[in-house]
Structure formats: C-alpha cells, structure tokens
Amino acid sequence: MAVRRRPSIPNQTAAPPNPDPGGDPQPPNTAPSLDQFSLAPPKLGLILSVLALFLIPFFYLLFVHYQVESDLRYYISICVALSLVGFVFTVGLIPVAARYLLRRNMFGYDINKRGTPQGEVKVPETLGIVTAIVFLVVAIVLQLCTLTADSDWLVEYNAALACICFMTLLGFDDDVLDVPWRVKLALPFFASLPLMMAYAGHTSIIIPKPLVPYVGLSVLDLGVIYKVYMILLVIFCTNSINIHAGLNGLEVGQTVVISFAVLIHNLMQIGASTDIDYKQAHAFSIYIMWPLLTTSLGLLAFNWYPSSVFVGDTYTYFAGMSLAVVGILGHFSETLLLFFLPQILNFLYSCPQLFGFVHCPRHRLPRFDTQTGLLTGTNDMNLVNLFLRLFGRCTEKSLCIRLLIFQALSCLMCFGLRYILAGWYK
Amino acid sequence: MVVRRRQSIPDQTVRSSELTPEKEGELSLAAPKLGLVLSILAMFLVPFFYFLFVRYRMEIEIHLRLSILVCVAISLCGFVASALLIPVAARYLLRRNLFGHDLNKRGTPQGATKVPEALGIVTGIVFLVVAVSVQLAVSFLQYNLTADSDWLVEYNAALACICFMILLGFVDDVLDVPWSVKLVLPLFAALPLVMAYAGHTSIVIPKHLVPFVGQSVLDLGWIYKVYMIMLVVFCTNSINIHAGINGLEVGQTVVISVAILIFNLIQIGASTDPDYKKAHVFSIYIMLPLLTTSLGLLAFNWYPSSIFVGDTYTYFAGMAMAVVGILGHFSETLLLFFLPQVLNFLYSCPQLFGIVPCPRHRLPRFDPQTGLLIGSSDMNLVNLFLRLFGQCTEKSLCIRLLIFQAFSCLLCFGLRSILAGWYK
C-alpha cells in the first residue's frame, strides 16, 4: 500500500504547529503564495547517465546486432525521439504541478525521515498524474506516426490507451479521495475491462514438454479462463508494485528497471524472429514501453533520494497497468512475470500480514534512527525489511540501490533462464 | 465558465479547520428527487420504445432490437449505481475540501452550506463501466461491435477520448488550472479520435452552392480533422459556459441526448444501409449510458442542488456527444441540437474576448427578500432570459431554458425533414 499517506485531514488542519494558541488565526503552514514554494532541483546528472546507459545497448541491438527492417527501425527511432520529448515535458511540468498539488493540500510527510528537519517538510504527493498525462499524449501522438489507419494493431492500441487512461483516472481518484483498501484492490479490475473487450488473440497456452504426457495435449485452449488470467495479471501487476514501496525512489526505480528489461526482450525477439505478427506484437510493446520509461525517468529526477515529490497510487497503478497491458497484448506475459520476480517474492512473503494471519500495521516500514541516519529492519514481512535484516542496517539510499540491483539481477537471470529453457520448455 | 468556484484556498482552509466535521457520517445529502427523474425517464422511454417496437417493427432486426434492449437494461443499472454512489462520493469529496457555495443563494442560510463539488466523476466512472459492460454483454448477440474490427477501433478510441477527458476534467476540478489551460484540455483529449478516425472526410455541398464550388462533394482531408477537434473543443466548452443555474448543465445534456437517441432510432428505422445503421447503433450504445447516469446525477443536482457537478461533468458530457456526432457521422445534426449553446456562445463572445468587461461569474443578481433572480447586463442566455421575460425563481428560469432547449431540438427535427430534399 502507499506509505506516504498524508495525516488524516481533520488532525492536520485542526492542529497546525503554531506555538501561539491565542494569536494569529492563520496557521503558518498554509501556503498563501504559490511562488514561495520551490522544489529541489532535479537530479538530472544521475537520470541522464541512466538514460545513456539504456540507449547504448538498445541502439546497439537495434542497428548493429540485429537485421531489423528499415521501416521498423525508423518507427522505433521515432518512438525513442518522441519519448525523449516526453521526458523533457515531464521534467518541465512536475514543478508546476507540484505547486498546484501542494496548494490543494495533496502532500505527505516523509516517514523515513521522521525526527530530522526533513521529516517536517510537506512533500507534494501524486505527481504520478504528470507522468501519466504526458505518457498518454506521447502514446497518442506516436500512434499517428507509426500506425496506418487500417492497421490491425489500431484496436489493441486504443484498447491499451483506454485501459491505461481508466487506471490513471481511478488511481488519481484514489489519491484525492483516499478510498478504502478493499475498493483500492478492485479498481484495476474495472480498468482492465476495455482490454477484455478488445482482446482478440489466442487464448491457448503451450503445455511444457515434460507435462504433456500428463495433460494429454500439447496446446490447451483456455478460452474464457485465459481472460480471467488476464484480469488477475492486471490486478497483480498494479498491486504488487504498490506494496513493494516505501523508500524514496523504489516505486519508480523498479518500474524503470523492469521496463528496460522488457524493451531489451522486445528487441531481441524482433531480431530473432521472422514472423510478421510476432514482430508487430513486440513493436507494439516497444511503442508503449519507451514513453513509460522516459516519463518515469522524468519523475525519478525528482523522486530519487532524497525525494522532493511523492508519486502516489496514481503512479504505481499506472505503471503496473502499462506493464500488464504490453505483456498481455504482446503475448509475453510469462516472461513479464519472470521480470516481476522480486514483486512476486515480496507479495508471497507479505501474504501472512496481508491476509491478517500476522498482525499488519498501517505502514510496514523500517525504523529510522535519527542519530545514525540509518534504517533498521523491523519484523514486517516484506523485502524492504528482509534486506535490512539479512544485510544489516544502511541508509535509505543504499537500501533502495540494493533492492534495485536485486531487481536488475533477477531480470538478467530471467534472460538467462529463457535462453536455457527455450529448447527444453517448448 | 464554471460558476460555483470555491473561494481562494487560504481563506477556506483557515475557516474549514474549525468547521470540518471530524466524522464523515455527519454529511447527509438531501433526498434525491427521484419522482422527477423517474418521470423524465418514463417520458423518454415511451417514445423510444414506440419507435423501437411499433413504428419500425419491420425495419429493425430482432437481434438489433435485443442488443438495444440489453443496452437499455444495463444503462438503467448505471442509473441505480450513480444514484447510490453519489452520496458516498460526496462525503469523500467534502472531506477533501472539494466543495463550493451556491452563489445564487447568497444571503440565505442555504448560501452558507458547503455543497460537494465535482460529482461528475461518479457519472463518468459509472458511464465507462456501463459502456464497456454493454459491449461485453452484446458480444454474445449477433449485432455487436466486437465482430467488426473497424467499429472496434472507433469504439475504443471513443472510450479512450471520453476517459481522457474525464481524467483531465477531474484534474482541473482538483487543481483548479488556469483558464487558458482549461480551454485546450479538450484538444488533447480529442487526439485518440483524430488518430483513429477512418471515415470519409468529405462533405456534401448544398445543391445551391454547387455551381460556385464546382463540385457536389468536396474532400476536406486533414481540414476535416481540424473541424473534428474544433467540434470537440466547442461542445465541451459551450456546455461549460451555458451554466450557473442549479440543474442547467445536467438538464441540457439530458435534453440533447434524448434528442440524439430519438434521431438515432429514426435513422436506423429509415435506412437500409448496414454501415449507416451501425453508425447510429454505435451512437445509441454511448448515449443511453450518458442519459441514465446523467439522470442519476440530476436527481441530486436539480433545484435545490445538494451537489455540484464540476467541470468534470460538463467536459465529459460535451466530449461524449461530440464523439458520437463525429463517429456516427451526424455532426451537422448535432450542431443543430446545440443551437442554444451556439447562440449562448455567440452572444457571450464580446465578454469572452475581453471587448466588454467580463466579471469572474456572469451570474444574475439574487434578491434574498423576494427569492427571485434579476438579470444583470452580462451577455449570456441566462441573463437574457431574465431581462426579456422578467424576474423569476432559479427553478423557473432553469425550466424555461430547458424548454427552449427542447423546442430547438424539435425545430431541428422539423428542419431536417423539410430540408432533406432541398439540401442534399
């Protein structure tokens, strides 16, 4: 669940930290002028290096290693170019939006800095809305540039946009209205409905060779059960990112790592295949993943440690939905789940607390020690605390980096696994 | 522009720190005006079913009739869902300080009540769920859109547009973006439609102008796409400025959508071209949910309003209607139905463009003694009606304006049938 929850509104507005009880009726923390607020500058050096780190292998694979058709290369390059424009817009719009959000009391306090001066700062919340809106505009414009009017993929593309947009809407509603936990879980279900309607692909799965004698078939048509699987996948992807959170930069960071892995996977599949439809499926995924990657990097510029903005459920739901959508429509959902391995582990490990067998506090965060500035693991059953317990105390920044390295390593491992299993599995 | 603007935030949060109830349960909306709304619903369903089952009995295939019935049934569920969810959402919205004060009741006790704002979000979300559910349900029947790939593209593009518009409208209601940004929001939301539009981009030149133009059909190409965007920007903003009276925004949408639905049914009955019929069926699948969810909203928004609808609603409604007009290929007829909005916009131009001074809200003046509204010199239909027909209560004024809307729709039906031979 989102961990930077603003304090419940009555307390917050009724008890301003004004030491003078009888005096000035205007609480000092009301922001009368928008101009007084300014965000810390974005960590552009870090972000641009990360971006360069992605672009080099990507372009190497696209132009050097694989023989990709020239028009596909052209479209993918346009996609990258437009996504980079989206990156610039995101970085430009976040400070503007942050002012408006703060003015509307959409902020939280950084619980992992409680006790230090930074723990008193009002951090604007829900900046995921900027990322999502820029993403949608880029994705729509991209459609104009890459798809012709009679393309088969137009249906899937519009269905994907409708889903992602609906998810963003519901996520933003959740951030503004703070809906109950049970409603929150069900939101991705509604947002995935356009996908259910539009999905016209195969609903059969390939049975792994070793299991064929037991099942009796080599290909099993699941029909409507496949659609149920799709809905479950969407609900899983969105919520699992949401609960693997709580550290500055963790939510956006994991999305960046996973989407990059997906992009490399897409490119490798395009290069290694000769089936037009199969290539189109992966190109489609690229057209959605690149805007996600660049707009998320724009957000990360402000959200990386120390966070000057929080992303909100808007972001985690939006990101989860985008990843689920490309996995489904690109027909590589099993690979996607492999990339989500840390999220799966986190979810499984969290189950006892999520289902109430073990006591579950409001935020399952580590304990912050103001003297040393380090985080100490609590007994909560999630990866964040597990890492602290296994590898010892550390700063919030190092912990986040460790978790992201774990994410990257498991993606690498999945590439290796796929390569090894390809012959054995199918 | 939206008239029930909450006061500037610093004052409001100062005051609300004492007034905000600690327990959300304290807010209870006035009971919905179900009698009124259900009578409107019945009044609509009677002619609609007449056309569907009696008048065009032979012309409409059984599967199509069944699909439309399914759409009606699910839309009615949407009506119930809206009516149930609005009080729940109102509590949450009020808790988050999304409210306004009714400026047309200033000076009376009702003018001090905090009225929850932006309830259009409920209508929008229920609409989206209903629209998708209709498609899923109808996919089991023969006359469905999923089998036909072209229409599926347009349906998904329509959903994406409407959803994007609701999102931008709600962001606007929450963040209160500047007026210039507000104007261009519909442009972005219209982009999926412009990308996906695969229909003809040519217009039919009226017979009398053919000698001058030299052709009877003119292909506009990308200019048609510009026209589409302008239509969207117009529909959304024109509903937004023809507002300010309890129930006016939702009321006009209800009237126009009824007119569109009847028009769709007549066109389906009178035509034999399957593509043409599909275009109008598509419009019905979108207009019916709009109508019923709007009626659910009207139950609370009709005078005296216990909730306000927000820019979320006016943008959502305007977008939905523009979308069906474009994808259903009857945008000229749509503009005829929008006649009062067109007149209001033209009349408002001097103030909108700054030639005449334009106050923050171009509302009439409310007299607390008599309880009547008096027309100010502002240049919009609301004040014009007051100046022409004298002072009256807010409720009567709204009814008068809605009757005007209904009459111009009727006029347009008449016009179309007269002009049909002359025009094309």
Side-chain angles (χ1 to χ4, degrees):
Chain A
M1 317 300 152
V3 282
R4 304 256 168 56
R5 193 42 64 209
R6 49 187 160 277
S8 63
I9 304 301
N11 296 340
Q12 168 200 297
T13 50
N18 189 350
D20 182 3
D24 174 13
Q26 188 122 354
N29 58 353
T30 310
S33 50
L34 294 181
D35 329 293
Q36 285 185 8
F37 169 75
S38 57
L39 287 184
K43 294 119 195 144
L44 281 176
L46 169 72
I47 297 303
L48 290 174
S49 351
V50 170
L51 192 57
L53 216 61
F54 288 163
L55 284 173
I56 293 173
F58 188 83
F59 279 135
Y60 166 73
L61 286 175
L62 182 62
F63 286 106
V64 178
H65 188 74
Y66 289 116
Q67 292 306 311
V68 181
E69 294 89 6
S70 58
D71 53 346
L72 197 53
R73 254 185 211 158
Y74 173 66
Y75 289 143
I76 293 178
S77 308
I78 292 188
C79 172
V80 175
L82 275 174
S83 304
L84 290 173
V85 171
F87 169 76
V88 173
F89 269 98
T90 309
V91 173
L93 284 174
I94 284 178
V96 177
R99 270 203 300 278
Y100 281 91
L101 287 160
L102 200 65
R103 184 177 71 154
R104 289 294 295 142
N105 285 337
M106 307 263 313
F107 64 84
Y109 295 106
D110 198 336
I111 300 180
N112 279 334
K113 296 176 182 56
R114 207 161 27 188
T116 68
Q118 264 195 307
E120 304 294 315
V121 172
K122 291 199 281 183
V123 183
E125 179 84 71
T126 318
L127 268 300
I129 189 66
V130 177
T131 307
I133 291 180
V134 176
F135 168 89
L136 285 168
V137 176
V138 170
I140 293 169
V141 175
L142 203 54
Q143 185 185 13
L144 169 68
C145 302
T146 57
L147 297 176
T148 51
D150 57 356
S151 169
D152 291 328
W153 282 97
L154 218 51
V155 179
E156 269 91 351
Y157 202 87
N158 277 296
L161 282 183
C163 281
I164 296 173
C165 188
F166 201 9
M167 189 76 257
T168 307
L169 175 66
L170 294 175
F172 188 63
D173 279 346
D174 173 31
D175 276 330
V176 171
L177 302 182
D178 206 1
V179 303
W181 176 87
R182 266 171 285 275
V183 177
K184 228 201 265 280
L185 276 186
L187 297 178
F189 165 73
F190 289 105
S192 67
L193 289 179
L195 201 61
M196 297 306 114
M197 204 176 78
Y199 186 74
H202 62 260
T203 52
S204 41
I205 56 170
I206 300 174
I207 308 289
K209 281 203 202 117
L211 296 179
V212 170
Y214 301 98
V215 179
L217 296 165
S218 62
V219 171
L220 181 64
D221 187 5
L222 291 175
V224 75
I225 300 179
Y226 195 80
K227 298 218 165 179
V228 173
Y229 162 68
M230 280 161 57
I231 296 181
L232 289 176
L233 186 71
V234 167
I235 295 181
F236 174 73
C237 289
T238 47
N239 285 299
S240 66
I241 295 183
N242 211 0
I243 63 173
H244 187 45
L247 302 176
N248 286 174
L250 183 56
E251 304 93 339
V252 191
Q254 67 191 275
T255 304
V256 163
V257 173
I258 297 178
S259 50
F260 182 61
V262 170
L263 280 167
I264 297 293
H265 172 68
N266 290 145
L267 210 43
M268 285 171 60
Q269 295 304 113
I270 289 179
S273 157
T274 47
D275 182 338
I276 301 281
D277 271 334
Y278 191 72
K279 288 193 191 204
Q280 272 290 85
H282 285 276
F284 169 84
S285 169
I286 289 180
Y287 299 151
I288 294 193
M289 284 291 100
W290 259 108
L292 177 66
L293 178 63
T294 53
T295 52
S296 300
L297 282 173
L299 186 59
L300 193 62
F302 292 92
N303 183 245
W304 185 248
Y305 183 92
S307 293
S308 33
V309 304
F310 292 150
V311 303
D313 286 347
T314 308
Y315 180 77
T316 58
Y317 277 161
F318 152 73
M321 174 61 89
S322 306
L323 289 165
V325 157
V326 298
I328 290 170
L329 293 179
H331 306 306
F332 59 90
S333 55
E334 328 82 40
T335 312
L336 184 76
L337 280 173
L338 286 181
F339 292 147
F340 266 69
L341 193 61
Q343 281 73 18
I344 295 178
L345 292 175
N346 186 51
F347 167 69
L348 290 174
Y349 187 38
S350 304
C351 276
Q353 280 190 306
L354 294 180
F355 291 109
F357 300 128
V358 174
H359 164 69
C360 183
R362 177 85 176 88
H363 297 306
R364 302 185 297 148
L365 284 177
R367 216 171 49 245
F368 177 65
D369 185 352
T370 40
Q371 260 85 31
T372 55
L374 301 178
L375 292 174
T376 316
T378 61
N379 290 328
D380 286 309
M381 302 169 81
N382 54 14
L383 283 189
V384 169
N385 286 299
L386 184 67
F387 265 52
L388 283 170
R389 295 200 302 267
L390 282 182
F391 304 118
R393 303 153 49 158
C394 60
T395 63
E396 188 176 352
K397 186 172 177 179
S398 328
L399 180 59
C400 190
I401 293 177
R402 287 179 192 178
L403 285 163
L404 291 180
I405 289 177
F406 178 54
Q407 186 88 49
L409 284 179
S410 60
C411 289
L412 273 173
M413 185 186 84
C414 299
F415 275 110
L417 254 176
R418 258 191 129 260
Y419 181 71
I420 296 170
L421 289 180
W424 175 76
Y425 179 85
K426 303 195 180 200
Chain B
M1 312 300 150
V2 177
V3 283
R4 305 248 171 56
R5 192 40 68 208
R6 46 188 163 277
Q7 288 124 7
S8 64
I9 303 303
D11 298 340
Q12 170 197 294
T13 48
V14 171
R15 229 174 296 136
S16 68
S17 64
E18 294 96 55
L19 294 180
T20 309
E22 302 292 307
K23 327 128 206 59
E24 292 94 46
E26 284 195 9
L27 165 75
S28 54
L29 293 183
K33 293 115 195 149
L34 283 176
L36 169 72
V37 168
L38 289 173
S39 353
I40 296 177
L41 193 56
M43 260 170 37
F44 157 69
L45 284 176
V46 165
F48 188 78
F49 283 143
Y50 164 74
F51 279 116
L52 187 60
F53 288 109
V54 178
R55 175 73 180 78
Y56 291 115
R57 183 174 194 71
M58 295 295 117
E59 293 87 342
I60 302 181
E61 306 91 49
I62 187 94
H63 284 116
L64 178 55
R65 219 178 291 160
L66 198 54
S67 309
I68 294 178
L69 266 181
V70 167
C71 182
V72 171
I74 300 183
S75 303
L76 288 175
C77 294
F79 167 76
V80 173
S82 296
L84 289 175
L85 285 173
I86 285 174
V88 177
R91 269 200 301 278
Y92 282 91
L93 287 161
L94 198 66
R95 184 176 70 157
R96 289 292 295 140
N97 287 338
L98 274 159
F99 64 83
H101 293 286
D102 199 337
L103 294 174
N104 279 333
K105 296 176 183 55
R106 217 168 11 192
T108 68
Q110 263 192 309
T113 319
K114 291 198 283 184
V115 184
E117 177 87 67
L119 267 298
I121 189 65
V122 176
T123 310
I125 291 178
V126 175
F127 169 89
L128 287 169
V129 176
V130 168
V132 178
S133 310
V134 166
Q135 273 314 293
L136 285 172
V138 159
S139 68
F140 292 116
L141 301 168
Q142 196 190 31
Y143 215 100
N144 63 81
L145 296 181
T146 49
D148 192 332
S149 191
D150 284 337
W151 279 103
L152 200 56
V153 176
E154 305 198 338
Y155 196 81
N156 276 297
L159 276 185
C161 281
I162 296 174
C163 188
F164 202 10
M165 190 77 257
I166 298 173
L167 174 67
L168 293 177
F170 190 60
V171 170
D172 173 31
D173 274 332
V174 172
L175 301 184
D176 205 1
V177 303
W179 177 88
S180 39
V181 176
K182 230 201 265 283
L183 274 186
V184 296
L185 294 179
L187 172 85
F188 289 107
L191 288 178
L193 198 61
V194 174
M195 301 300 131
Y197 186 75
H200 63 260
T201 51
S202 41
I203 56 171
V204 174
I205 307 287
K207 288 206 199 106
H208 300 275
L209 297 178
V210 169
F212 301 101
V213 178
Q215 294 166 294
S216 59
V217 170
L218 181 65
D219 186 7
L220 293 175
W222 61 267
I223 300 181
Y224 196 79
K225 299 216 163 182
V226 173
Y227 161 68
M228 279 162 55
I229 294 182
M230 280 169 38
L231 185 72
V232 167
V233 173
F234 173 74
C235 288
T236 48
N237 284 299
S238 67
I239 295 183
N240 211 0
I241 63 173
H242 187 44
I245 311 286
N246 285 176
L248 183 57
E249 304 92 340
V250 191
Q252 67 192 276
T253 304
V254 164
V255 173
I256 299 178
S257 49
V258 166
I260 293 177
L261 280 164
I262 301 291
F263 171 69
N264 289 145
L265 216 43
I266 293 177
Q267 294 306 110
I268 291 177
S271 157
T272 48
D273 180 349
D275 268 335
Y276 190 74
K277 286 192 190 203
K278 267 196 194 147
H280 286 275
V281 171
F282 170 84
S283 169
I284 290 181
Y285 287 161
I286 293 192
M287 285 291 104
L288 268 173
L290 176 67
L291 176 64
T292 54
T293 52
S294 301
L295 282 174
L297 189 59
L298 191 63
F300 292 91
N301 185 245
W302 185 248
Y303 183 93
S305 294
S306 30
I307 49 135
F308 291 151
V309 302
D311 285 348
T312 311
Y313 179 78
T314 57
Y315 278 160
F316 152 65
M319 173 62 88
M321 292 191 281
V323 156
V324 298
I326 291 170
L327 294 180
H329 306 306
F330 57 90
S331 55
E332 327 83 40
T333 311
L334 182 75
L335 280 172
L336 286 180
F337 291 147
F338 265 69
L339 192 63
Q341 281 74 15
V342 172
L343 292 175
N344 185 50
F345 168 70
L346 291 175
Y347 188 37
S348 304
C349 277
Q351 280 190 307
L352 294 179
F353 291 109
I355 302 171
V356 172
C358 184
R360 178 85 176 86
H361 298 307
R362 304 186 295 147
L363 282 178
R365 217 171 49 247
F366 177 65
D367 185 354
Q369 260 88 28
T370 54
L372 300 178
L373 291 175
I374 307 168
S376 64
S377 53
D378 285 309
M379 304 168 81
N380 53 16
L381 283 190
V382 169
N383 286 299
L384 184 67
F385 264 53
L386 283 170
R387 295 201 300 269
L388 283 181
F389 305 120
Q391 312 176 15
C392 62
T393 63
E394 188 175 354
K395 186 172 175 178
S396 330
L397 180 59
C398 190
I399 293 176
R400 287 178 193 180
L401 285 164
L402 292 180
I403 289 178
F404 177 54
Q405 186 89 49
F407 270 141
S408 36
C409 290
L410 276 172
L411 177 71
C412 301
F413 274 111
L415 255 177
R416 260 194 126 258
S417 73
I418 297 172
L419 289 182
W422 177 77
Y423 180 84
K424 304 195 182 201

